[in-house]
Amino acid sequence: MEIHVLASGSTGNATYIRMGDTRLLVDAGISARRIKLGLAEVGVAPENLDGIFITHEHRDHVAGLVTLLKKYRLPLYTRPATWESMYCRDQLPAECFRPLELSLEIGSVIAEAFSISHDAADPVGFSFCRRDMKCCVATDMGFITESVKKALAHSDVLVLESNHDVDMLNNGEYPWYLKKRILSNRGHLANTDTGWMLARLPKKQRTEVFLAHLSKENNRPELARATVQNILNEHDCRQAASITLHLTHPDRRAGWIRES
């Protein structure tokens, strides 16, 4: 299994996942050129992707879709309501759209979508499984429901939101309406939310966690990692030892590879 977060944050999101011979892209919120360059760094061409999975229709998750689909005609898997709500919908080739319900097999991978709480048409996270390996992508969540916890449990790799520090957000320069949106149950997860969820989540012996969608204005990478790590340490030293935290960035790749 191979995971590369090509970009993560409010300016754009895209994650490459390889499981066996199946190559997937989750979200395409940066330019097609940046996606192509990011994939080239790990030896992959866009035309060799088996599909693109879209979590929701916000621009920072779909900005590169028009060029990608027009140039490469890749299958696009997403909820029907998400497809219809995309700002660029009229520019997308309709034949690329694959309506996504609960699960499907793509190559050697079973992909499952699970609902998340965010201010979008029908937002989802994704679980990808092959044999005994499992990778989940879950960002843009106002809070973590029991169904999300169930979907994330026993993952080998998690790409998980750790958007903001509550004090930085409350004391920052954002207008109140935007602070209220971020803090709502359809907004984004705070570092502390992420830490406590990880502490209580049923886990495998080892779990790799990418802290994702960090706010440039209301968070700092090392603060996010320290906050989550401190909660894990407080909860149970054995839990903390079983989790490796990785930071993601809006403008450079973060990756992990396990050769089988």
Side-chain angles (χ1 to χ4, degrees), residues 240-257:
S242 71
I243 294 176
T244 302
L245 301 177
H246 305 271
L247 295 174
T248 65
H249 307 273
D251 55 0
R252 65 181 188 271
R253 177 175 58 84
W256 178 84
I257 302 172

Side-chain angles (χ1 to χ4, degrees), residues 27-163:
D27 287 333
I30 54 178
S31 70
R33 178 180 178 275
R34 283 185 62 192
I35 290 173
K36 182 177 180 180
L37 290 173
L39 291 174
E41 290 182 2
V42 297
V44 180
E47 56 265 32
N48 295 137
L49 292 171
D50 293 292
I52 302 175
F53 287 75
I54 297 297
T55 59
H56 63 291
E57 72 274 11
H58 291 168
R59 188 179 293 260
D60 58 326
H61 295 259
V62 302
L65 268 186
V66 172
T67 301
L68 279 176
L69 294 191
K70 284 186 175 181
K71 188 169 184 178
Y72 302 108
R73 301 288 165 166
L74 298 164
L76 175 70
Y77 299 93
T78 195
R79 297 283 210 215
T82 299
W83 169 256
E84 294 296 338
S85 300
M86 291 181 188
Y87 77 95
C88 54
R89 164 68 184 83
D90 292 342
Q91 303 174 62
L92 299 174
E95 65 270 20
C96 293
F97 174 48
R98 306 288 191 274
L100 179 64
E101 297 304 328
L102 294 179
S103 66
L104 72 142
E105 289 188 34
I106 179 166
S108 60
V109 172
I110 297 175
E112 296 186 349
F114 53 90
S115 295
I116 59 175
S117 178
H118 193 53
D119 54 355
D122 192 2
V124 297
F126 291 111
S127 168
F128 302 100
C129 297
R130 179 180 183 268
R131 297 178 181 171
D132 62 341
M133 297 294 288
K134 178 179 178 181
C135 172
C136 286
V137 179
T139 63
D140 298 73
M141 297 180 288
F143 74 106
I144 300 171
T145 63
E146 289 302 316
S147 61
V148 169
K149 291 178 186 176
K150 183 178 179 180
L152 300 181
H154 303 295
S155 293
D156 295 277
V157 182
L158 291 170
V159 180
L160 184 63
E161 180 173 47
S162 190
N163 177 256

